[in-house]
Amino acid sequence: MEKIKSAFFLLAFMTCQASAASFSAAQIAQFKQLPQAEQQALAKQYGVNLSDLTSSSSSAPVVPQETIQPRTVNVTNVVQGVPQTNQPKNTLIDFGYDLFSGQPSSYTPVDDLPAPNNYMIAPGDEINVQLFGNQNQSYSLNVSRDGSIQFPSLGPIQVAGQEFSELKSDLTKRIKKQILGVNVSISLGALRTMQVYVAGDVYQPGAYNIPSLATVTQALIAAGGFRKTGSLRNIVVRRNHQIVNRLDLYDLLLQGNTENDIRLQPGDTVFVGAKGPSATITGKVRRPAVYETKPGETLGDLLKNAGGSKADAYLQQVEVKRYQSNGVHIITADLTAASGRDLALKDGDRVSFKKISDQLQNAVLVRGAVTRQGAYAYHEGMKVSDLFTNASDDLLPNTDQRYALVVREFGSRHQIKVLQFNLSEALSSPSNSQNLALQDSDQIFVFSDELNVKAWQEPKPVDHNAGQGSKRGGQAKQALDPTTGVQLVKDSQVTTNLFESQEEIDQQAGPDSRQTLLKPIIERLRQQAINGQPLAVYEVSGEVTFPGAYPLVENASLKSALAAAGGLLESASKDQAELTRAVVMPGEVALNHHKFDLSKILSNQVPDFRLVSKDRIEIQQKTNWSLNNKVEIQGEVRHPGTYTIGKGENIADLVARAGGLTQYAYPVGAIFSREVLRVQEQERMKMLSENLRQEIASLALRRQTTSAQYTTSPTDALSVVKDLNTVPAMGRLVINLPSILRGDEAQDVMLENGDKLFIPPTRNTVSVLGQVQMASNFTFDSSKSVQEYINMTGGEKKQADIDRIYVIRANGSVMLPNQSYWFARDTQRLEPGDAIIVPIDTDYLDGLSALSTASQIMYQIGVAWSAIN
């Protein structure tokens, strides 16, 4: 009940402070726990509108019916009056002011506070007495206005003016003397309130009723804290017109010193003076803010108030901006010296602590294919072997120990030079010349050989259902060729390509590869190349593991260049290589080409030569080195599949290696495709598509500017172009396989990598397509003529061009029969697999409509790819 009354007491105080105060739901809930009669009595007593307190909205303001003075405060549950403003980020605050603002997080009654033994008893206090022994009684005795308590059976006892310890001693003796056989326990109950005054630069100055144990800081909290113009360091307590205490809140906030936070007495006045001089401290300090200063305080004192400097603060040059009569002056103070720390502060000083440099000092940096990248402490006489004491632990499994670099800065322009060394030799023999001596700030680059060790050590799970065909009688897998559209026969066993191209390897370059790690080094060497200082870069190309550009190291030679490029490939020719050197002459640059015997240099038969700026080394390939040229032969041969070929092999050789033709083969209809031709055909189709778009645009313009009529709209024409783009390029080369197999070398074709040959089975059909009544396929009859086949489809349509009928042979060639001998089958015989094409008469409709029809025919005759399939 007492707690609820105290909560209501708080509400009454707040209603006197502000006419629009808002209360939490917990506070109103406490008041609602009182009986209705007590609610009405309290509301009437303290001038509070009861309907506002009992309304459902907890945020409704409680407006007092009349002003009540002085204010009665429970200092542990007061809502602070200092408004919280939305300050922008990175805005410096005035230190300490926010600690006296805001709403407490919980309701804590002041009755629970312990009373000290020297507490002075006065009217309004409550004394609890408990008797036990012969009697078991409890009494709550209030100190009356005359300073006495009314103890049952003992009469009035004067207690006012006594300290609490004295009261306990005297009262215990008297009770035991008059009531025999009892023990006594005495404690303080509810304490009295007292009236004090809070004045000066506080949020709400005035008179306050506060608990008798309240201190100076609690009185300040009751007044809502400080205004921004108030001083935290000049707070005085006046008693009987004299100053009895001075309080510097920085002692409390920064050191936890409560020595001067004395308990107040009735009638005391707490006065907050105006804010004194201040200084601002920013940058690399623990607690940047605006601090109030006292006379005699120094820069060292200000730094101490700010919590000290951060680890990355540069103390040798601390900037102090000071206002003087002729403007702002800059003072640079060294806080590592006593003179800097003792610099006296002045009002308005702005102190800024800068950041130290991020440049590593006394360190070397290791990057690349190592277990632990990063900076390592440098010491005098340090060598490479000091960084990698255990190769198996310090290096990755795929580290290329034959090639590593040291990048070293020099000069005022931070230029770099590059040193190359063999990491394996440096670690195996520390006295070896490859174990380079390091300098402060060196960077060591270690490269990988780009072997995917993880994939090697952690293979993908094997699909045990794969390859079942080969285990059950050697069944072959069927696949559809995306180029020709025919069914391909492939072995069920999965084969590995042992001759992966360098381009495919480069695409898998990792973060520790030469390609990745050398890029910033090459770029920096290019930037520092100026007139008179040549570019320190050379290039290795051809048959090496890692062709590309490399930094020109000190004493670079051919052997060091080959080590940088990862060594020679198996395909490299050692009898002859080429060096291209740029010779700078006045006004021009000449390129000199020099052939040399690589094998003699590698075997030390002739001296190695030094490299210079912009040298280019070309390692040539062995003659006729081609291990990855593959062709496919499918269809009616005895052993279809993929074959590796050498230079000079032709179609006849391929058919012979495949075991020759089967009895069902139809060599006249053989389809031969080549990737180069397919690419060329695709490009021509793109060019044709672009030309058609331009023609359509011209057609649309003519339709708008002339009265001519066209049977095809531009929209329809654009759909033709779209259809044309979807027609796949075939890359077909027309061959005469029967002549080739008979030994006609003039008809034979030399094979290239990626060629495909398909020999279809005999298909005894003839197709009729184009402007006929019903396009169809018919069984081949050597006795029938072209016209007879056309008549079997119902004859030509009205728009057919009968004067330009042509035949597409099964091998892809086109037959244009002589008009005078059109039906002379002895000179123009039809063959199985032929397609008779009846074109549209271009005079019957405009050109674009003809093109549309032609596009449809192209789909229909997509020549043998779809027909043969």
Side-chain angles (χ1 to χ4, degrees):
M1 180 66 67
E2 293 298 330
K3 293 182 179 180
I4 297 175
K5 290 182 178 179
S6 178
F8 185 81
F9 205 49
L10 170 63
L11 292 176
F13 156 71
M14 296 179 64
T15 56
C16 297
Q17 277 198 323
S19 60
S22 299
F23 312 111
S24 67
Q27 291 171 331
I28 296 180
Q30 291 175 352
F31 175 75
K32 288 183 178 180
Q33 295 177 6
L34 295 172
Q36 183 67 25
E38 293 190 21
Q39 290 182 11
Q40 294 175 353
L42 288 172
K44 181 178 180 180
Q45 179 181 354
Y46 293 103
V48 178
N49 191 337
L50 184 61
S51 61
D52 290 336
L53 290 175
T54 56
S55 61
S56 58
S57 175
S58 62
S59 62
V62 180
V63 182
Q65 297 175 351
E66 56 182 339
T67 302
I68 301 177
Q69 291 291 345
R71 302 172 181 87
T72 304
V73 183
N74 184 336
V75 296
T76 60
N77 194 37
V78 69
V79 179
Q80 301 304 319
V82 177
Q84 299 296 318
T85 58
N86 294 326
Q87 296 182 343
K89 292 183 178 180
N90 301 325
T91 299
L92 288 177
I93 63 171
D94 291 302
F95 174 75
Y97 289 86
D98 56 340
L99 299 180
F100 288 88
S101 62
Q103 184 173 359
S105 59
S106 64
Y107 173 81
T108 305
V110 74
D111 297 345
D112 294 341
L113 295 176
N117 287 328
N118 61 351
Y119 176 73
M120 191 68 66
I121 304 298
D125 288 334
E126 182 183 57
I127 301 174
N128 295 326
V129 179
Q130 183 179 4
L131 304 180
F132 54 94
N134 288 338
Q135 295 184 20
N136 293 311
Q137 299 289 338
S138 295
Y139 303 98
S140 294
L141 307 175
N142 292 322
V143 180
S144 62
R145 291 185 179 182
D146 61 0
S148 64
I149 57 174
Q150 298 293 331
F151 195 94
S153 72
L154 296 184
I157 301 175
Q158 195 71 25
V159 295
Q162 291 183 322
E163 292 183 351
F164 178 54
S165 57
E166 183 182 358
L167 167 69
K168 289 195 296 182
S169 176
D170 294 345
L171 187 57
T172 300
K173 291 179 181 179
R174 183 167 180 177
I175 294 174
K176 286 185 174 182
K177 181 178 179 180
Q178 296 187 11
I179 304 176
L180 300 178
V182 298
N183 292 320
V184 182
S185 174
I186 300 175
S187 63
L188 285 175
L191 301 181
R192 68 184 183 277
T193 60
M194 62 181 177
Q195 185 182 98
V196 297
Y197 299 91
V198 183
D201 285 88
V202 293
Y203 183 75
Q204 187 69 53
Y208 290 88
N209 286 334
I210 59 176
S212 56
L213 291 178
T215 63
V216 177
T217 55
Q218 290 172 323
L220 292 172
I221 292 175
F226 295 81
R227 296 183 184 274
K228 289 299 179 67
T229 57
S231 173
L232 298 183
R233 311 195 66 180
N234 184 22
I235 304 169
V236 297
V237 178
R238 293 180 179 274
R239 185 176 298 159
N240 298 324
H241 308 292
Q242 294 183 355
I243 297 177
V244 296
N245 184 60
R246 291 186 181 272
L247 175 63
D248 184 350
L249 281 180
Y250 276 23
D251 293 338
L252 171 64
L253 299 177
L254 298 177
Q255 304 175 26
N257 185 359
T258 61
E259 180 180 358
N260 291 323
D261 188 19
I262 63 173
R263 289 202 305 271
L264 298 176
Q265 294 185 12
D268 283 354
T269 298
V270 178
F271 179 78
V272 176
K275 186 177 181 180
S278 63
T280 302
I281 184 169
T282 61
K284 295 299 177 178
V285 293
R286 303 292 180 185
R287 194 167 46 239
V290 180
Y291 292 87
E292 188 177 352
T293 62
K294 283 187 172 182
E297 287 192 334
T298 64
L299 184 56
D301 296 327
L302 179 64
L303 179 60
K304 183 179 180 181
N305 291 341
S309 61
K310 292 185 178 179
D312 56 348
Y314 188 59
L315 301 180
Q316 285 83 349
Q317 292 183 348
V318 177
E319 179 187 277
V320 180
K321 290 184 178 180
R322 177 165 293 174
Y323 293 96
Q324 296 187 7
S325 59
N326 57 349
V328 179
H329 288 223
I330 299 295
I331 301 174
T332 301
D334 183 2
L335 263 68
T336 60
S339 59
R341 295 190 297 270
D342 294 340
L343 177 66
L345 295 175
K346 291 189 176 181
D347 188 20
D349 281 354
R350 299 183 64 88
V351 182
S352 177
F353 282 71
K354 306 298 183 182
K355 186 176 182 295
I356 62 173
S357 172
D358 288 332
Q359 183 70 31
L360 289 177
Q361 301 293 334
N362 198 37
V364 294
L365 189 66
V366 180
R367 301 174 60 181
V370 296
T371 306
R372 292 169 288 274
Q373 298 189 57
Y376 291 82
Y378 169 77
H379 58 81
E380 191 69 27
M382 189 177 191
K383 292 189 174 183
V384 171
S385 59
D386 296 329
L387 294 170
F388 309 103
T389 56
N390 188 335
S392 60
D393 181 59
D394 296 334
L395 303 179
L396 297 180
N398 63 345
T399 298
D400 185 355
Q401 300 186 32
R402 299 167 298 174
Y403 176 63
L405 298 177
V406 173
V407 179
R408 180 170 296 164
E409 284 190 351
F410 68 95
S412 59
R413 297 177 58 244
H414 298 284
Q415 296 172 289
I416 64 169
K417 61 181 178 180
V418 185
L419 310 177
Q420 179 177 333
F421 64 97
N422 187 307
L423 182 57
S424 176
E425 294 182 10
L427 299 184
S428 60
S429 178
S431 60
N432 193 289
S433 60
Q434 297 297 311
N435 190 18
L436 300 180
L438 301 177
Q439 296 182 10
D440 186 15
S441 301
D442 279 352
Q443 293 194 40
I444 296 89
F445 287 80
V446 181
F447 304 91
S448 71
D449 57 13
E450 301 184 19
L451 171 65
N452 192 340
V453 178
K454 184 176 181 180
W456 175 261
Q457 295 176 346
E458 301 177 9
K460 295 181 179 180
V462 178
D463 185 1
H464 297 286
N465 296 324
Q468 293 294 330
S470 60
K471 296 181 181 180
R472 300 179 182 177
Q475 297 178 1
K477 293 183 178 180
Q478 300 291 328
L480 185 66
D481 186 350
T483 303
T484 62
V486 301
Q487 295 290 336
L488 305 181
V489 179
K490 293 188 177 181
D491 296 335
S492 59
Q493 299 291 339
V494 178
T495 58
T496 303
N497 184 3
L498 299 179
F499 309 102
E500 186 178 14
S501 68
Q502 182 62 40
E503 293 181 358
E504 294 172 337
I505 295 176
D506 289 342
Q507 292 176 357
Q508 302 173 0
D512 303 329
S513 66
R514 286 164 167 78
Q515 178 181 348
T516 302
L517 293 178
L518 288 178
K519 184 177 180 180
I521 301 177
I522 299 295
E523 183 62 27
R524 189 162 178 181
L525 290 173
R526 293 186 189 278
Q527 292 176 355
Q528 73 181 36
I530 58 176
N531 193 12
Q533 183 173 342
L535 175 63
V537 175
Y538 67 91
E539 184 177 346
V540 183
S541 60
E543 302 305 301
V544 292
T545 306
F546 305 110
Y550 289 88
L552 184 65
V553 300
E554 291 188 348
N555 301 320
S557 64
L558 174 64
K559 291 182 179 180
S560 66
L562 294 179
L568 301 175
L569 295 177
E570 184 184 4
S571 56
S573 174
K574 295 183 179 180
D575 57 350
Q576 182 173 283
E578 183 179 81
L579 171 67
T580 300
R581 178 162 292 175
V583 180
V584 180
M585 297 182 295
E588 62 176 338
V589 177
L591 295 179
N592 292 344
H593 306 287
H594 172 65
K595 300 285 186 179
F596 60 91
D597 191 328
L598 181 59
S599 60
K600 290 184 179 181
I601 296 179
L602 295 179
S603 60
N604 297 322
Q605 297 181 30
V606 297
D608 197 358
F609 59 84
R610 300 296 181 188
L611 299 180
V612 298
S613 169
K614 297 180 287 296
D615 275 356
R616 296 185 179 183
I617 303 170
E618 173 68 29
I619 306 299
Q620 299 170 349
Q621 192 181 73
K622 293 179 180 178
T623 304
N624 295 331
W625 179 270
S626 180
L627 299 178
N628 202 29
N629 288 342
K630 297 180 181 180
V631 297
E632 285 189 49
I633 181 170
Q634 303 290 342
E636 295 303 320
V637 292
R638 297 185 182 278
H639 306 294
T642 301
Y643 290 84
T644 301
I645 61 169
K647 288 188 176 181
E649 292 192 55
N650 50 34
I651 293 178
D653 299 330
L654 178 62
V655 174
R657 290 175 63 185
L661 305 180
T662 67
Q663 58 181 335
Y664 308 106
Y666 184 52
V668 175
I671 303 174
F672 183 83
S673 68
R674 177 162 288 173
E675 179 64 20
V676 174
L677 298 178
R678 188 192 68 80
V679 174
Q680 292 176 352
E681 183 179 338
Q682 192 71 48
E683 290 300 320
R684 292 191 185 102
M685 292 175 67
K686 290 181 180 178
M687 185 180 301
L688 175 60
S689 174
E690 186 60 30
N691 291 338
L692 287 176
R693 291 181 187 274
Q694 296 177 3
E695 182 65 23
I696 292 169
S698 177
L699 172 63
L701 182 61
R702 290 198 301 272
R703 294 184 65 174
Q704 294 177 359
T705 58
T706 66
S707 58
Q709 299 294 322
Y710 298 95
T711 58
T712 303
S713 68
T715 303
D716 296 336
L718 285 174
S719 65
V720 174
V721 177
K722 183 178 179 180
D723 292 342
L724 184 61
N725 287 332
T726 60
V727 176
M730 296 174 288
R732 181 172 182 178
L733 177 65
V734 177
I735 62 173
N736 190 337
L737 186 59
S739 297
I740 294 174
L741 297 181
R742 287 195 297 267
D744 188 351
E745 295 182 358
Q747 296 289 333
D748 208 347
V749 178
M750 185 181 296
L751 296 174
E752 296 180 3
N753 183 40
D755 285 349
K756 296 180 181 180
L757 177 62
F758 177 73
I759 303 173
T762 301
R763 288 189 173 93
N764 197 25
T765 60
V766 173
S767 302
V768 182
L769 305 171
Q771 299 301 312
V772 294
Q773 299 298 331
M774 180 63 71
S776 185
N777 299 315
F778 301 94
T779 303
F780 174 74
D781 186 347
S782 59
S783 64
K784 287 186 172 60
S785 67
V786 172
Q787 187 61 47
E788 288 174 332
Y789 277 110
I790 293 175
N791 293 338
M792 293 173 64
T793 65
E796 302 92 342
K797 291 183 179 180
K798 181 179 180 180
Q799 61 267 32
D801 189 347
I802 60 177
D803 294 332
R804 291 194 294 172
I805 296 175
Y806 58 94
V807 178
I808 298 180
R809 296 294 195 184
N811 64 355
S813 61
V814 178
M815 181 184 75
L816 295 175
N818 191 313
Q819 294 287 343
S820 59
Y821 298 99
W822 181 257
F823 300 106
R825 288 189 297 275
D826 55 341
T827 58
Q828 300 290 339
R829 296 176 59 87
L830 290 174
E831 296 179 356
D834 285 353
I836 302 170
I837 308 301
V838 181
I840 193 169
D841 187 357
T842 56
D843 294 334
Y844 182 80
L845 71 171
D846 60 81
L848 287 174
S849 298
L851 179 60
S852 177
T853 306
S855 177
Q856 297 175 10
I857 294 175
M858 289 177 65
Y859 273 107
Q860 293 171 345
I861 66 173
V863 171
W865 288 176
S866 57
I868 292 176
N869 187 37

